[in-house]
């Protein structure tokens, strides 16, 4: 909550953790603060794609 000012309220934010539980709680808190958020269901445990690093 102390770093909300660092987040862009004009963009959708995807929240990720290992299993999806902590990110789910974070999404609840951010939604209460009027952020547009998505929880990555299952977290990184369910990630099955390759990671692409932007340049």
């Amino acid at each position: 909550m102390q770093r909300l000012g660092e987040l862009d309220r004009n963009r959708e934010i995807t929240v990720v953790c290992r299993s999806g539980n902590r990110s789910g709680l974070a999404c609840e808190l951010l939604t209460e603060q009027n952020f547009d958020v998505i929880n990555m269901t299952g977290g990184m445990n369910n990630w099955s794609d390759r990671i692409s690093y932007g340049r």
Side-chain angles (χ1 to χ4, degrees), residues 50-55:
R50 297 181 71 179
I51 297 174
S52 174
Y53 296 96
R55 292 184 179 205

Side-chain angles (χ1 to χ4, degrees), residues 24-37:
L25 293 173
C27 283
E28 288 179 26
L29 293 170
L30 291 170
T31 298
E32 289 173 2
Q33 299 296 317
N34 298 314
F35 284 92
D36 182 15
V37 295

Side-chain angles (χ1 to χ4, degrees), residues 3-39:
R3 299 179 70 182
L4 288 178
E6 297 177 31
L7 300 174
D8 186 348
R9 291 182 184 272
N10 298 313
R11 297 183 70 176
E12 181 178 76
I13 299 170
T14 302
V15 185
V16 182
C17 72
R18 183 180 53 85
S19 67
N21 293 323
R22 286 170 293 156
S23 57
L25 293 173
C27 283
E28 288 179 26
L29 293 170
L30 291 170
T31 298
E32 289 173 2
Q33 299 296 317
N34 298 314
F35 284 92
D36 182 15
V37 295
I38 295 175
N39 183 26

